[in-house]
Amino acid sequence: MGVAMADFAQDGHPGIFVANDNARNLLLRNRGKGFAEVGLEAGVAFNGDGRNISGMGADFGDIDGDGRPDIVMTGLKNETYEVFLNRGGGEFDDGSASTGLLGPSREWSGWGCGLVDLDNDGWLDLFVAAGGLEDQDLQPNRIFHNHSGHFEDVSNTVGRDFGHAALHRGVVFADFDHDGRIDAAVTAINSPIELWWNRSPRESAARHWIQLRLTGRKSNRSAIGAVVQCRTGAKTQSRTVSGSVGYASSSDLTVHFGLGEATRATIEVRWPSGRVQILGEVAVDQRLNLLEPAGG
């Protein structure tokens, strides 16, 4: 139901996580010579109780700030959402309880989802398109704010209109109005598309950001599979360029980093071709277009 991609083993070869509906999840590791399914060995095939759930949406992102891409997966009501924390070397631990997502997610059927920094503090928040299976179970979308690796459901405080209930399904993310804040577009069965403008405070020293759009030459033109690192002081963030996000959705390929109080950033891109491009310090609060270098 959900497919997500990232270099989860951090060996230069992006792999794939597959969220399955009432079957064990799959983790396809790429060692450069094709894929091997390693879900059981890696610890992501089942939830923390060793059971299947109705896996719907999935996304990769560094939830706990250790520089490694973790996995989040949504499920249906009374199943809870799942978090698999990356412990390095391609192995994961169940983190649904330790990240605080276990309890607050239990009453919501989650479909599309995405790990995105909604308030530009440098931590990836979780947006979930929520909705039941039938018209009798309309549900509002959910936002779980990431406080240094711990999620808090703030859905009831992000705006009066956000409580609109529907049979939500897919969600995609982009800075639609180019104001440095990530917005969301959500689909719902038999309902219009919802466009949620991000109005988080930006008149603050702690709300900086940077965005990058990559174009490959030797690599594929969309730069899918490229890994972008952003360093600010002691903090390093990493993203894999991928359009696959959540459930039944394809999102913007622009890479977004929330930077908090940092006013300068250093960018490194590892292109799918293997080429590495390093930018010196760049100013924040801007969108950069990067072309893959022609040389070595």
Side-chain angles (χ1 to χ4, degrees), residues 58-82:
D59 200 13
F60 272 106
D62 182 8
I63 293 172
D64 54 4
D66 64 0
R68 296 185 288 258
D70 309 302
I71 300 170
V72 67
M73 179 178 72
T74 55
L76 300 183
K77 185 188 295 186
N78 298 321
E79 291 182 330
T80 77
Y81 308 155
E82 297 301 321

Side-chain angles (χ1 to χ4, degrees), residues 188-254:
I189 295 176
N190 296 325
S191 297
I193 291 175
E194 301 169 6
L195 180 56
W196 296 102
W197 297 111
N198 190 336
R199 295 297 182 242
S200 301
R202 61 175 177 174
E203 303 301 326
S204 166
R207 291 292 183 269
H208 296 298
W209 55 274
I210 195 164
Q211 296 174 356
L212 302 103
R213 185 62 179 245
L214 278 58
T215 301
R217 289 204 278 197
K218 184 176 181 181
S219 304
N220 66 87
R221 182 169 176 79
S222 297
I224 291 174
V227 177
V228 184
Q229 284 191 337
C230 177
R231 298 185 181 91
T232 54
K235 187 177 182 63
T236 299
Q237 300 183 61
S238 181
R239 306 276 192 276
T240 300
V241 178
S242 172
S244 177
V245 60
Y247 166 86
S249 303
S250 181
S251 210
D252 183 22
L253 295 175
T254 302

